Amino acid sequence: MNEVKRVGVVGAGVMGAGLAENAALDGIDVVLVDIGEVQLNACRQRIEQSMRFAKMFRTAPRERPALEAREAIKKISFVTEYAALEGCDFIVENTTEKWDVKKAAYHSLSESISGKTVIAANTSCFSITRLGGLIPNPERLLGIHFMNPVPMKDTVEMIRGHWTSEETIEFARTFLAQIGKSGILVNDAPGFVSNRVLMLTINEAIMVLQDGVSTAADVDNIFKKCFEHKMGPLETADLIGLDTILYSIEVLHESFGDSKYRPAPLLKRMVHAGLLGQKAGAGFYNYGGKKK
Ligand code: NAD
C-alpha cells in the first residue's frame, strides 16, 4: 500500500498541533487548517515551543525524528482554506468536540476533497458511525483516537465504524507506522474503550473534590502513589483541557441517555470561568496563568 506523502490536519488546537509536529518531524508534508489566523499563529508557537523542548521529553522511538526541527516546521502549511486539502492522501480531523462544529467541518471536507481520501476522526467520544453519516462515503472514515501529547505517545485507539472498510483500516495503519505509532482496533460505541471509562473516572474525581472528600493533590496522589499510575485524574483533566472533558462527558450523557455521565457542576463552573487546564495557564493546578 502506498505511503502518505501529504497529510491534512483539520483543527489546529492541542491535538492538531501535536499531530502536525509529529508528522512533519517524520518527513511528511502537512496542511494544517483552522478557522482563523489567531488559532494558526497560536498553533505555530505551540509547535515551535514543543520542538524546542522535544529532546528533553521524547520517549525512545521519537528520539531520532527524520528531520531536524527547523526543517520540519517548513513542512507545515498553516491555512484557513479547506481547498488547500486537495491532494492530501490522508486527513485527520481534530476540531472541537461539539456536534455542530464537527458537522460544519465534515460538510467543508465533503466539498473540498476527493471521495477517495481516507479521513480519520480524532474525536474523544462521538460515534464514528454517527460522524460517517455526515459524509457521502463513510467506508473511507475511521476513528483514530490519538493520545496527548501526540509526539510522545506511540499507541493509539483505532475505531471501526459501521461502514469502515478493511482498506481504510490498512491505510490508516500505514500512516500510523510512518509516524512511529501502532493502533489497537476496537468496535464503535460512544467513547470507545478509553474515554467511556476515563471520562467517567475524571468526572467522578471532580465530584469527589467538589464534595470536599479530599484536595486535588491528594485525589491525584491516591492514583499515583497507591495505584502507581503516572498521572492522577485531575492532572489528566488539566492536560486534556477541561472544555474537552466537559464536551466529551456531555456527548456520553446524550449518547447513552444514562445519568451516570451527568457532568460535575464544578467541571461546568471551571469551564465557564475559563479555568481550562494547562492550555489556559490554570485548571485544578496553576501553570503560571490566572488563578481563582
Ligand atoms: P482544541 O479546543 O484545543 O482545538 C480545536 C480546534 O478546532 C480549535 O483550534 C478550533 O478553532 C478548531 N476548529 C473549530 N471549528 C473548526 C472548523 N470548522 N475547521 C477547522 N478547525 C476548526 O481541542 P483539542 O484538544 O485539540 O481536541 C480536538 C479533538 O480531538 C476533539 O474532538 C477532542 O475531543 C479530541 N481529542 C482531544 C484530546 C486531548 O487530550 N485534548 C485527546 C484525544 C482526542
Side-chain angles (χ1 to χ4, degrees), residues 47-61:
I47 294 173
E48 285 174 345
Q49 188 183 38
S50 173
M51 284 178 169
R52 273 199 295 278
F53 290 111
K55 283 206 173 94
M56 267 187 270
F57 296 113
R58 288 243 157 84
T59 52

PDB file of all heavy atoms in Angstrom, residues 47-61:
ATOM      1  N   ILE A  47       3.841  24.563  18.375  1.00  0.00           N
ATOM      2  CA  ILE A  47       4.700  23.569  17.718  1.00  0.00           C
ATOM      3  C   ILE A  47       6.172  23.933  17.902  1.00  0.00           C
ATOM      4  O   ILE A  47       7.005  23.083  18.243  1.00  0.00           O
ATOM      5  CB  ILE A  47       4.346  23.437  16.218  1.00  0.00           C
ATOM      6  CG1 ILE A  47       2.943  22.852  16.059  1.00  0.00           C
ATOM      7  CG2 ILE A  47       5.378  22.583  15.491  1.00  0.00           C
ATOM      8  CD1 ILE A  47       2.426  22.831  14.631  1.00  0.00           C
ATOM      9  N   GLU A  48       6.489  25.216  17.709  1.00  0.00           N
ATOM     10  CA  GLU A  48       7.895  25.631  17.821  1.00  0.00           C
ATOM     11  C   GLU A  48       8.408  25.397  19.240  1.00  0.00           C
ATOM     12  O   GLU A  48       9.516  24.906  19.438  1.00  0.00           O
ATOM     13  CB  GLU A  48       8.052  27.101  17.409  1.00  0.00           C
ATOM     14  CG  GLU A  48       7.961  27.238  15.891  1.00  0.00           C
ATOM     15  CD  GLU A  48       7.960  28.675  15.400  1.00  0.00           C
ATOM     16  OE1 GLU A  48       7.741  29.599  16.217  1.00  0.00           O
ATOM     17  OE2 GLU A  48       8.142  28.878  14.192  1.00  0.00           O
ATOM     18  N   GLN A  49       7.562  25.712  20.217  1.00  0.00           N
ATOM     19  CA  GLN A  49       7.968  25.512  21.608  1.00  0.00           C
ATOM     20  C   GLN A  49       8.154  24.017  21.901  1.00  0.00           C
ATOM     21  O   GLN A  49       9.138  23.601  22.508  1.00  0.00           O
ATOM     22  CB  GLN A  49       6.909  26.098  22.538  1.00  0.00           C
ATOM     23  CG  GLN A  49       7.345  26.099  23.984  1.00  0.00           C
ATOM     24  CD  GLN A  49       6.250  26.626  24.888  1.00  0.00           C
ATOM     25  OE1 GLN A  49       5.071  26.363  24.673  1.00  0.00           O
ATOM     26  NE2 GLN A  49       6.635  27.364  25.906  1.00  0.00           N
ATOM     27  N   SER A  50       7.223  23.226  21.422  1.00  0.00           N
ATOM     28  CA  SER A  50       7.306  21.786  21.663  1.00  0.00           C
ATOM     29  C   SER A  50       8.553  21.192  21.005  1.00  0.00           C
ATOM     30  O   SER A  50       9.242  20.348  21.585  1.00  0.00           O
ATOM     31  CB  SER A  50       6.047  21.107  21.119  1.00  0.00           C
ATOM     32  OG  SER A  50       6.182  19.722  21.196  1.00  0.00           O
ATOM     33  N   MET A  51       8.861  21.663  19.800  1.00  0.00           N
ATOM     34  CA  MET A  51      10.060  21.159  19.114  1.00  0.00           C
ATOM     35  C   MET A  51      11.330  21.532  19.887  1.00  0.00           C
ATOM     36  O   MET A  51      12.271  20.743  19.937  1.00  0.00           O
ATOM     37  CB  MET A  51      10.136  21.691  17.682  1.00  0.00           C
ATOM     38  CG  MET A  51       9.174  21.004  16.726  1.00  0.00           C
ATOM     39  SD  MET A  51       9.283  21.729  15.082  1.00  0.00           S
ATOM     40  CE  MET A  51       8.327  20.557  14.106  1.00  0.00           C
ATOM     41  N   ARG A  52      11.314  22.743  20.472  1.00  0.00           N
ATOM     42  CA  ARG A  52      12.495  23.173  21.246  1.00  0.00           C
ATOM     43  C   ARG A  52      12.735  22.254  22.443  1.00  0.00           C
ATOM     44  O   ARG A  52      13.860  21.931  22.788  1.00  0.00           O
ATOM     45  CB  ARG A  52      12.312  24.608  21.756  1.00  0.00           C
ATOM     46  CG  ARG A  52      12.766  25.676  20.771  1.00  0.00           C
ATOM     47  CD  ARG A  52      13.014  27.001  21.456  1.00  0.00           C
ATOM     48  NE  ARG A  52      11.816  27.595  22.021  1.00  0.00           N
ATOM     49  CZ  ARG A  52      10.919  28.294  21.339  1.00  0.00           C
ATOM     50  NH1 ARG A  52      11.100  28.504  20.054  1.00  0.00           N
ATOM     51  NH2 ARG A  52       9.854  28.788  21.923  1.00  0.00           N
ATOM     52  N   PHE A  53      11.631  21.840  23.075  1.00  0.00           N
ATOM     53  CA  PHE A  53      11.773  21.018  24.278  1.00  0.00           C
ATOM     54  C   PHE A  53      11.773  19.515  23.963  1.00  0.00           C
ATOM     55  O   PHE A  53      11.925  18.692  24.856  1.00  0.00           O
ATOM     56  CB  PHE A  53      10.649  21.317  25.268  1.00  0.00           C
ATOM     57  CG  PHE A  53      10.786  22.680  25.889  1.00  0.00           C
ATOM     58  CD1 PHE A  53       9.882  23.689  25.588  1.00  0.00           C
ATOM     59  CD2 PHE A  53      11.830  22.966  26.755  1.00  0.00           C
ATOM     60  CE1 PHE A  53      10.018  24.958  26.142  1.00  0.00           C
ATOM     61  CE2 PHE A  53      11.965  24.234  27.320  1.00  0.00           C
ATOM     62  CZ  PHE A  53      11.058  25.233  27.009  1.00  0.00           C
ATOM     63  N   ALA A  54      11.614  19.190  22.698  1.00  0.00           N
ATOM     64  CA  ALA A  54      11.396  17.794  22.319  1.00  0.00           C
ATOM     65  C   ALA A  54      12.464  16.843  22.838  1.00  0.00           C
ATOM     66  O   ALA A  54      12.151  15.773  23.352  1.00  0.00           O
ATOM     67  CB  ALA A  54      11.280  17.672  20.811  1.00  0.00           C
ATOM     68  N   LYS A  55      13.698  17.253  22.699  1.00  0.00           N
ATOM     69  CA  LYS A  55      14.787  16.339  23.060  1.00  0.00           C
ATOM     70  C   LYS A  55      14.704  15.919  24.523  1.00  0.00           C
ATOM     71  O   LYS A  55      15.024  14.797  24.879  1.00  0.00           O
ATOM     72  CB  LYS A  55      16.132  17.008  22.799  1.00  0.00           C
ATOM     73  CG  LYS A  55      16.481  17.020  21.336  1.00  0.00           C
ATOM     74  CD  LYS A  55      17.994  17.082  21.131  1.00  0.00           C
ATOM     75  CE  LYS A  55      18.326  16.928  19.672  1.00  0.00           C
ATOM     76  NZ  LYS A  55      18.475  18.193  18.976  1.00  0.00           N
ATOM     77  N   MET A  56      14.234  16.855  25.367  1.00  0.00           N
ATOM     78  CA  MET A  56      14.162  16.569  26.803  1.00  0.00           C
ATOM     79  C   MET A  56      13.078  15.551  27.141  1.00  0.00           C
ATOM     80  O   MET A  56      13.211  14.765  28.055  1.00  0.00           O
ATOM     81  CB  MET A  56      13.848  17.861  27.560  1.00  0.00           C
ATOM     82  CG  MET A  56      15.067  18.591  28.031  1.00  0.00           C
ATOM     83  SD  MET A  56      14.524  19.941  29.049  1.00  0.00           S
ATOM     84  CE  MET A  56      14.338  21.206  27.837  1.00  0.00           C
ATOM     85  N   PHE A  57      11.951  15.618  26.379  1.00  0.00           N
ATOM     86  CA  PHE A  57      10.781  14.851  26.800  1.00  0.00           C
ATOM     87  C   PHE A  57      10.471  13.616  25.965  1.00  0.00           C
ATOM     88  O   PHE A  57       9.708  12.767  26.385  1.00  0.00           O
ATOM     89  CB  PHE A  57       9.540  15.753  26.797  1.00  0.00           C
ATOM     90  CG  PHE A  57       9.645  16.865  27.797  1.00  0.00           C
ATOM     91  CD1 PHE A  57       9.745  18.191  27.388  1.00  0.00           C
ATOM     92  CD2 PHE A  57       9.686  16.584  29.154  1.00  0.00           C
ATOM     93  CE1 PHE A  57       9.866  19.211  28.310  1.00  0.00           C
ATOM     94  CE2 PHE A  57       9.801  17.603  30.084  1.00  0.00           C
ATOM     95  CZ  PHE A  57       9.896  18.920  29.665  1.00  0.00           C
ATOM     96  N   ARG A  58      11.025  13.513  24.777  1.00  0.00           N
ATOM     97  CA  ARG A  58      10.619  12.429  23.885  1.00  0.00           C
ATOM     98  C   ARG A  58      10.960  11.052  24.432  1.00  0.00           C
ATOM     99  O   ARG A  58      12.000  10.850  25.036  1.00  0.00           O
ATOM    100  CB  ARG A  58      11.286  12.591  22.519  1.00  0.00           C
ATOM    101  CG  ARG A  58      10.686  13.728  21.766  1.00  0.00           C
ATOM    102  CD  ARG A  58      10.014  13.259  20.494  1.00  0.00           C
ATOM    103  NE  ARG A  58       9.027  14.250  20.116  1.00  0.00           N
ATOM    104  CZ  ARG A  58       9.320  15.333  19.417  1.00  0.00           C
ATOM    105  NH1 ARG A  58      10.524  15.531  18.972  1.00  0.00           N
ATOM    106  NH2 ARG A  58       8.368  16.189  19.136  1.00  0.00           N
ATOM    107  N   THR A  59      10.085  10.111  24.179  1.00  0.00           N
ATOM    108  CA  THR A  59      10.358   8.722  24.526  1.00  0.00           C
ATOM    109  C   THR A  59      11.177   8.111  23.378  1.00  0.00           C
ATOM    110  O   THR A  59      11.280   8.684  22.309  1.00  0.00           O
ATOM    111  CB  THR A  59       9.050   7.944  24.701  1.00  0.00           C
ATOM    112  OG1 THR A  59       8.262   8.166  23.550  1.00  0.00           O
ATOM    113  CG2 THR A  59       8.308   8.416  25.931  1.00  0.00           C
ATOM    114  N   ALA A  60      11.736   6.957  23.597  1.00  0.00           N
ATOM    115  CA  ALA A  60      12.727   6.379  22.690  1.00  0.00           C
ATOM    116  C   ALA A  60      12.414   6.424  21.186  1.00  0.00           C
ATOM    117  O   ALA A  60      13.231   6.936  20.429  1.00  0.00           O
ATOM    118  CB  ALA A  60      13.038   4.965  23.124  1.00  0.00           C
ATOM    119  N   PRO A  61      11.236   5.939  20.729  1.00  0.00           N
ATOM    120  CA  PRO A  61      11.043   5.879  19.279  1.00  0.00           C
ATOM    121  C   PRO A  61      11.061   7.241  18.608  1.00  0.00           C
ATOM    122  O   PRO A  61      11.257   7.346  17.413  1.00  0.00           O
ATOM    123  CB  PRO A  61       9.662   5.234  19.141  1.00  0.00           C
ATOM    124  CG  PRO A  61       9.402   4.577  20.440  1.00  0.00           C
ATOM    125  CD  PRO A  61      10.120   5.396  21.466  1.00  0.00           C
TER     126      PRO A  61
END
